[in-house]
Amino acid sequence: MDNKKNIIAVIPARGGSKGIPKKNIKILYGKPLIVWSIEAAKKSKYIDRVIVSTEDKEIAKVAERAGAEILWRPAELALDEVPMVPVLQHAVQNIPADIVVLLQPT
């Protein structure tokens, strides 16, 4: 019997940051900030899928190039005041998973 759990990593990355616009794709030590989280998740022997939750096309493009899947986040979940819980709820409602790992790109 196979008891393997379906584990996904969710990386939330909205484009509308007020402090540092597009901070998730700013270059840090030679690569976009979000790529560090994507690569770490992809190296894990436990994580089956790496999902980037975003509403931003430019972030999505960078994330896809790094090997992540994109979950398009509704605009109402990409506002400054939206807490993380609804973002994760959106992810699990759209992507089947037994376990969800939250990885912050920052």
Side-chain angles (χ1 to χ4, degrees):
M1 176 161 64
D2 183 17
N3 289 334
K4 181 163 177 2
K5 300 287 186 196
N6 178 25
I7 302 173
I8 64 169
V10 175
I11 303 172
R14 63 187 191 91
S17 173
K18 300 294 183 249
I20 303 173
K22 304 278 187 172
K23 70 181 172 206
N24 294 306
I25 54 175
K26 295 284 187 201
I27 302 301
L28 178 70
Y29 292 102
K31 57 183 134 180
L33 184 60
I34 194 169
V35 172
W36 291 96
S37 295
I38 293 168
E39 288 178 350
K42 290 180 71 62
K43 286 179 187 174
S44 171
K45 66 181 181 180
Y46 301 105
I47 294 173
D48 299 305
R49 295 171 71 185
V50 180
I51 312 297
V52 170
S53 169
T54 190
E55 85 301 351
D56 187 274
K57 290 178 183 173
E58 195 175 357
I59 291 172
K61 190 179 195 180
V62 170
E64 282 182 320
R65 260 190 261 131
E69 297 175 52
I70 304 304
L71 175 60
W72 292 103
R73 189 189 313 186
E76 62 271 14
L77 291 180
L79 303 173
D80 278 342
E81 63 277 357
V82 174
M84 189 56 60
V85 171
V87 174
L88 291 174
Q89 287 172 327
H90 175 257
V92 298
Q93 288 166 354
N94 288 279
I95 299 175
D98 296 310
I99 298 172
V100 176
V101 177
L102 170 64
L103 294 178
Q104 301 275 14
T106 55

